[in-house]
C-alpha cells in the first residue's frame, strides 16, 4: 500500500489500486499522511469558485473602461451620491464636483439657504422652498460618440462592447452577489429616477381629446391607416413607459428625428434622378432634424437612455421606421407629412401635460448645458430656419430652469406641427414653401429692394393661402 511498493506494479495494477484506495476515503503518500476525500472535494470546489469569481472580476475590470462611458452615461463613473432630506439624489461636495467631474451640472444653492443653515429643521418642513440639487449626465462634447469615422464593422463592434459591458455591470449589481465597483451609483440615485418627475397617461389622453374637439384646426385630418397606426403607437408608449416620463421622451425624440432623415433622403433621390428639385424644402427639413437632435441630447442629459432595453428598442424601431417613411413618401408625400403632423401634435399634448404636472419641481432644477447652448446660441440661424410661421430672431425663449427647457420644447413641437401642415398643403396644391431667412430677404443689402421683394413674396403667400382655403372649402362641400 505504500508509494514504494506501488512503483513495482504494472501501470494498470497501480491505477486499480489507486481507485480502490480513494474509494476507501483515504490514500497514502510518501509521508504516509492520510487526507480525507470529503475535504479534498471541498477544497476543489472552493478553488473553482475562487477561479470563477476571479474571472468575472477580471472581465468586469477589462470591460469597465468602456462601461463607464455608459453608452449609457458617465454616471457610473461618478462618486456615490448621498441622500438628503428625503430627496433620492443629492450632490456630493462642491469641491468634488469641480475636481472629479467638471462636466457635471448641479443646481447651486441660493445664498439664503447657505445663510440659514442653522434653521434647517424649519426649512425641512417646506422642501418646495428649497432648491433641489441634482446631477445631470453631460459630456464635454455631446454631439459626438467617437473621435473619428470608422468602418461600419468597427463601429458595430465598439457599440457591441459598450452595450455588452453596460449589461454586465447592471447584471452584476442586481445579482445576489451584488458585485459593484467603488464609484458605482445605483439607478435609483441617478437621473432620471432621482428627479422625481411624473406623467399621467390619462391626462395626456384628455389633453389630446380637448385639442381635437375644442381647438379650431386641432384635429389632424388623415387616412384611417395612419390613424390606426398612430393609436397603436400611443398605446405602446403608455404600456412601455409607465411612470417613466424622461425615458418616454427620449424614445419619442429618437423616433421624431427619423421622418426628417427620410424626407431629405427622398428629396435627394428625386433630385438625383432629375425628377424634381427644391433645395429650400430640404433645408427646412434639415433644420427640423437639428432641432429634434437637441431635444434628444437634452433627454440624454436627463438620463432618458439609461436602460439598455430602452436603447435597444429605440434604435431598432427607428431603423424600421426610417424605411417605412421612405416607402410612404415614395407613394404619397402628403401622407408622410400627415403622419408626422399626428406625432408632433401628440408631442405638444404630452409636453404640455408634463409641464403642468411638474411645474413646481421643474422650476427648482437648472437647465442642462446643452439646452442653454442651443436656445441661447449667438447665431440662432438653425433655430429660426424651421419655424416657417415666424420671422428670424423674433423668438428668443428663456432658458434658466428645466421648466423653461420643457416649455421651449413644447413650443418647438408646435412649430413643427405648423411646418408639417404647410408641407402637406404644399404637396397637395403646389406653390413654394421657404425658410424664414428666404422670406425675410436678409441677404439683400439694399433695404428698398428687400422691402419690394418681401412684399412680392407676401402677396404670393397670401394668394397661395387663399387657394388652399378654397380647395379645403370645395372638399368640405363635396
Amino acid at each position: 500500500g505504500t508509494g514504494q511498493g506501488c512503483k513495482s506494479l504494472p501501470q494498470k495494477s497501480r491505477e486499480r489500486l489507486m481507485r480502490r484506495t480513494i474509494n476507501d476515503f483515504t490514500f497514502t503518500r510518501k509521508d504516509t499522511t492520510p487526507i480525507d476525500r470529503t475535504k479534498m472535494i471541498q477544497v476543489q470546489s472552493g478553488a473553482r469558485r475562487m477561479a470563477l469569481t476571479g474571472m468575472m472580476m477580471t472581465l468586469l475590470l477589462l470591460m469597465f473602461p468602456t462601461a463607464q462611458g455608459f453608452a449609457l452615461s458617465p454616471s457610473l463613473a461618478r462618486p456615490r451620491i448621498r441622500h438628503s432630506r428625503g430627496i433620492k439624489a443629492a450632490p456630493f461636495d462642491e469641491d468634488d464636483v469641480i475636481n472629479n467631474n467638471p462636466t457635471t451640472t448641479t443646481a447651486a444653492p441660493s445664498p439664503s439657504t447657505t445663510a440659514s443653515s442653522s434653521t434647517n429643521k424649519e426649512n425641512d418642513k417646506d422642501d418646495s422652498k428649497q432648491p433641489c440639487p441634482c446631477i445631470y449626465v453631460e459630456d464635454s462634447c455631446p454631439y459626438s460618440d467617437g473621435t473619428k469615422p470608422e468602418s461600419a464593422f468597427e463601429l458595430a463592434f465598439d457599440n457591441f462592447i459598450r452595450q455588452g459591458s453596460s449589461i454586465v455591470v447592471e447584471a452584476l449589481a442586481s445579482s445576489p452577489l451584488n458585485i459593484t465597483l467603488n464609484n458605482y451609483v445605483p439607478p435609483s440615485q441617478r437621473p432620471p429616477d432621482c428627479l422625481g418627475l411624473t406623467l399621467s397617461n390619462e391626462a395626456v389622453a384628455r389633453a389630446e381629446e380637448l385639442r381635437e374637439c375644442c381647438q379650431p384646426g386641432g384635429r389632424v385630418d388623415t387616412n384611417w391607416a395612419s390613424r390606426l397606426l398612430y393609436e397603436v403607437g400611443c398605446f405602446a408608449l403608455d404600456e412601455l413607459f409607465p411612470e417613466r416620463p424622461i425615458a418616454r421622451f427620449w424614445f419619442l425624440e429618437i423616433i421624431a428625428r427619423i421622418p426628417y432623415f427620410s424626407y431629405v433622403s427622398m428629396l435627394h433621390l428625386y433630385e438625383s434622378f432629375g425628377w424634381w428639385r427644391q433645395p429650400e424644402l430640404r433645408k427646412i427639413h434639415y433644420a427640423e432634424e437639428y432641432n429634434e437632435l437637441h431635444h434628444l441630447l437634452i433627454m440624454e442629459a436627463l438620463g432618458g437612455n439609461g436602460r439598455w432595453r430602452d436603447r435597444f428598442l429605440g434604435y431598432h424601431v427607428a431603423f424600421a421606421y426610417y424605411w417605412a417613411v421612405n416607402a410612404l413618401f415614395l407613394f404619397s408625400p402628403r401622407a408622410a407629412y400627415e403622419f408626422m403632423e399626428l406625432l408632433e401634435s401628440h408631442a405638444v399634448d404630452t409636453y404640455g401635460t408634463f409641464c403642468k404636472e411638474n411645474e413646481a419641481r421643474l422650476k427648482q432644477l437648472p437647465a442642462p448645458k446643452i439646452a442653454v447652448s442651443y436656445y441661447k446660441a449667438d447665431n440662432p440661424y438653425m433655430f429660426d430656419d424651421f419655424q416657417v410661421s415666424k420671422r428670424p430672431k423674433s423668438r428668443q425663449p428663456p432658458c434658466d430652469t428645466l421648466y423653461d427647457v420643457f416649455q421651449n420644447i413644447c413650443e418647438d413641437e408646435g412649430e413643427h406641427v405648423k411646418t408639417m401642415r404647410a408641407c402637406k398643403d404644399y404637396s397637395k396644391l403646389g406653390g413654394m414653401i421657404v425658410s424664414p431667412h428666404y422670406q425675410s430677404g436678409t441677404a439683400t443689402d439694399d433695404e428698398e429692394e428687400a422691402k419690394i421683394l418681401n412684399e412680392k413674396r407676401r402677396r404670393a403667400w397670401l394668394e397661395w393661402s387663399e387657394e388652399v382655403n378654397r380647395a379645403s372649402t370645395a372638399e368640405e362641400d363635396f
Side-chain angles (χ1 to χ4, degrees), residues 75 100 202 260 287 292 348 411:
S75 58
N100 295 336
E202 293 77 11
Y260 304 120
E292 297 289 3
V348 173
E411 191 171 349

Side-chain angles (χ1 to χ4, degrees), residues 42-186:
Q42 293 177 353
V43 171
Q44 291 174 356
S45 61
R48 292 192 191 98
R49 286 196 298 269
M50 291 178 63
L52 181 60
T53 304
M55 291 174 61
M56 294 176 63
M57 293 301 298
T58 302
L59 179 63
L60 177 63
L61 292 175
L62 288 175
M63 300 179 100
F64 187 74
T66 57
Q68 70 180 4
F70 202 39
L72 266 154
S73 44
S75 58
L76 288 179
R78 292 197 175 95
R80 188 173 297 277
I81 304 173
R82 299 192 299 268
H83 292 270
S84 175
R85 294 199 308 273
I87 302 173
K88 290 186 177 179
F92 35 85
D93 186 72
E94 185 176 357
D95 296 334
D96 295 337
V97 176
I98 297 175
N99 297 330
N100 295 336
N101 194 3
T103 63
T104 301
T105 299
T106 61
S110 63
S112 60
T113 305
T114 306
S116 60
S117 58
S118 60
T119 59
N120 284 337
K121 292 183 179 181
E122 297 179 1
N123 294 335
D124 288 341
K125 296 179 180 179
D126 189 5
D127 288 339
S128 61
K129 297 181 180 180
Q130 297 290 341
C132 297
C134 192
I135 295 176
Y136 296 151
V137 182
E138 294 188 319
D139 296 329
S140 58
C141 184
Y143 294 98
S144 177
D145 290 332
T147 57
K148 60 181 180 179
E150 303 282 357
S151 69
F153 302 101
E154 292 176 324
L155 293 175
F157 179 77
D158 292 342
N159 183 68
F160 178 80
I161 294 298
R162 289 198 305 269
Q163 304 295 337
S165 60
S166 67
I167 296 174
V168 171
V169 170
E170 295 296 337
L172 292 177
S174 60
S175 66
L177 298 177
N178 193 22
I179 301 175
T180 59
L181 298 180
N182 293 331
N183 52 5
Y184 174 79
V185 180

Side-chain angles (χ1 to χ4, degrees), residues 185-236:
V185 180
S188 60
Q189 297 182 11
R190 61 173 184 255
D193 294 347
C194 70
L195 299 177
L197 303 174
T198 61
L199 178 64
S200 171
N201 296 331
E202 293 77 11
V204 174
R206 286 195 300 269
E208 185 173 8
E209 292 177 1
L210 184 64
R211 169 180 56 83
E212 293 185 345
C213 296
C214 302
Q215 295 183 9
R219 180 173 178 82
V220 179
D221 295 327
T222 184
N223 58 78
W224 66 269
S226 296
R227 177 65 66 170
L228 177 61
L229 184 61
Y230 166 76
E231 296 293 343
V232 172
C234 292
F235 175 78

Side-chain angles (χ1 to χ4, degrees), residues 279-294:
E280 275 294 312
L281 182 59
R282 191 169 68 244
K283 186 163 75 79
I284 291 174
H285 289 328
Y286 175 73
E288 289 183 291
E289 185 278 323
Y290 194 71
N291 176 259
E292 297 289 3
L293 167 65
H294 284 82

Side-chain angles (χ1 to χ4, degrees), residues 14 20 32 43 48 59 65 83 98 141 148 174 232 238 297 301 308 335 363 402 410 417 437 454-455 473:
R14 289 203 302 271
R20 191 164 54 248
T32 66
V43 171
R48 292 192 191 98
L59 179 63
H83 292 270
I98 297 175
C141 184
K148 60 181 180 179
S174 60
V232 172
D238 294 343
L297 294 176
W308 175 83
K363 288 183 177 179
L402 195 58
C410 184
V417 172
H437 295 95
N454 283 333
E455 187 62 28
T473 305

